[in-house]
Amino acid sequence: MQHILPPLPYDPSALEPHIDARTMVLHHDKHHASYVKNLNSALEPFPELHERNAMWLLLNLRSVPRKIRAAVRNNAGGHVNHSLLWRSMSADAGSAPTGPLADAIEHDFGGLQACKDQFAAAGAGLFGSGWVWLARSNQDGRRLQVCTTTGHDNPLMRGRFPILVNDVWEHAYYLKHQNRRPDYLRGWWQVANWEDAVRRFELSDESAARSWEIKDAPVFAPTP
Ligand code: MN
């Protein structure tokens, strides 16, 4: 089985004007596609890994031959994280979290604005290429935290379940915002998909292990 590029769940222009269509097309059709292609190429000589999904590979790098370990880390990570990213955004996203996620944000950050401020500051402050996340720790009272990862690492590699994610690699914003990453992060809230975050927060109550059994795109669980 080959890893497959999942289709964008909306039209590339759906997130205009906050994320421009040209950026979306390049980001999905070129960048994400190349991670999938490079992952398949790296794995090709290793049939024993062909039934493993991208999340499993990322979390079991010690079981991956040393020769392709870096390629798998970068490209399985790129595949997983971009698959999450497309669903972390929506044209008709709810403007605010609801239910248990809203309660947890209130409890762990003291309010939605404080959570957004920490997220934007962490994303703006990350040196180089990486990702900013709202994630739920599997320790520390299972609190919500803002964290960053570099390259294409995923918070699950450090025991944190991803709830909401944004990409702060330059390719995610450079055409529209050039070097102004904070502007991009500020506008991004207009397309942040809190409905998906609510769904993922519910998932985080279950064993994370169960949710990465699926080989491809619905990396954590299918959208209902
Ligand atoms: Mn990207």
Side-chain angles (χ1 to χ4, degrees), residues 27 31 35 82 85 131 152 167 169 171-172:
H27 200 172
H31 290 281
Y35 300 127
H82 286 93
L85 174 69
W131 299 77
H152 287 319
D167 185 343
W169 282 58
H171 68 222

Side-chain angles (χ1 to χ4, degrees), residues 2-219:
Q2 295 262 301
H3 296 270
I4 324 160
L5 178 68
L8 273 181
Y10 33 70
D11 189 88
S13 64
L15 308 180
E16 295 260 15
H18 309 290
I19 314 277
D20 58 294
R22 197 165 148 240
T23 294
M24 288 300 291
V25 169
L26 276 170
H27 200 172
H28 176 269
D29 297 4
K30 303 296 179 191
H31 290 281
H32 188 172
S34 78
Y35 300 127
V36 174
K37 181 168 173 282
N38 293 339
L39 178 61
N40 285 325
S41 304
L43 294 172
E44 209 270 320
F46 301 95
E48 69 274 21
L49 296 175
H50 287 185
E51 291 310 308
R52 298 298 190 179
N53 68 51
M55 192 73 242
W56 186 94
L57 292 167
L58 199 55
L59 296 179
N60 293 276
L61 288 168
R62 275 175 295 185
S63 304
V64 171
R66 192 174 296 274
K67 193 180 162 194
I68 60 165
R69 201 173 288 167
V72 167
R73 182 176 185 165
N74 293 336
N75 293 295
H79 181 28
V80 166
N81 290 357
H82 286 93
S83 299
L84 286 169
L85 174 69
W86 310 132
R87 291 157 55 174
S88 249
M89 303 187 290
S90 167
D92 47 19
S95 58
T98 55
L101 176 61
D103 297 342
I105 287 174
E106 194 63 37
H107 181 268
D108 296 336
F109 292 96
L112 180 59
Q113 193 56 50
C115 171
K116 286 181 171 180
D117 289 348
Q118 273 192 40
F119 190 96
L126 178 67
F127 183 77
S129 298
W131 299 77
V132 57
W133 309 82
L134 177 63
R136 189 177 189 187
S137 175
N138 64 1
Q139 302 173 343
D140 191 25
R142 310 224 56 209
R143 289 169 76 88
L144 286 171
Q145 304 170 333
V146 164
C147 63
T148 57
T149 55
T150 56
H152 287 319
D153 280 1
N154 184 284
L156 272 171
M157 296 162 82
R158 297 205 189 122
R160 294 178 178 134
F161 193 92
I163 305 295
L164 190 70
V165 58
N166 194 9
D167 185 343
V168 295
W169 282 58
E170 281 187 345
H171 68 222
Y173 61 86
Y174 203 84
L175 288 178
K176 181 176 165 72
H177 297 286
Q178 292 80 50
N179 60 322
R180 299 183 302 274
R181 189 191 285 179
D183 290 357
Y184 157 69
L185 283 160
R186 204 172 302 119
W188 186 77
W189 291 115
Q190 301 303 315
V191 298
N193 189 352
W194 286 110
E195 278 178 34
D196 196 61
V198 163
R199 187 180 65 82
R200 209 169 280 144
F201 186 71
E202 287 166 7
L203 266 181
S204 71
D205 279 332
E206 301 175 19
S207 160
R210 280 175 43 206
S211 50
W212 59 65
E213 284 161 10
I214 302 158
K215 168 109 180 145
D216 261 300
V219 175

